[in-house]
Amino acid sequence: QVYVVFSEELKCWCRALVQSVRCQADGYQLSCFLVDYAKYCFVPSESIRVLPGAFAKIPHRAKKCRLHCTKPLTLHIDYCENTAKIGPAKRWDTAAIQHFRKLLE
């Protein structure tokens, strides 16, 4: 479901998909994907609103996509044999994600 959240970075209300919710000392923090800006951001739970029905039907400007036939890799370290090999991973490393985003910018 698409919601409306206030982005401090953009200084405006944006349509967003909520990715996850985490509890912090001062309340709940939402990890959101801004569907019109293709950005990820964190917003406090006080900054989220339900999107009115007519606005929910407007198509998103940003689309989530995947790279065709590109699999994540990671460095596997074997301390017993004192070796390191690059091999398949279940998820992308944070450093690889940040590097890819920099390339896109």
Side-chain angles (χ1 to χ4, degrees), residues 2-3 12 22-23 29 37 44 46 67 78 80 85 88 101:
V2 180
Y3 294 94
C12 65
R22 63 181 181 190
C23 185
Q29 195 80 358
Y37 295 93
E46 298 83 31
L67 297 175
D78 188 346
C80 297
K85 297 178 184 175
R101 286 184 181 163

Side-chain angles (χ1 to χ4, degrees), residues 5-7 9 30-34 39-43:
V5 298
F6 187 78
S7 169
E9 179 185 351
L30 306 168
S31 171
C32 299
F33 176 72
L34 305 179
K39 287 182 172 253
Y40 290 91
C41 68
F42 289 99
V43 295

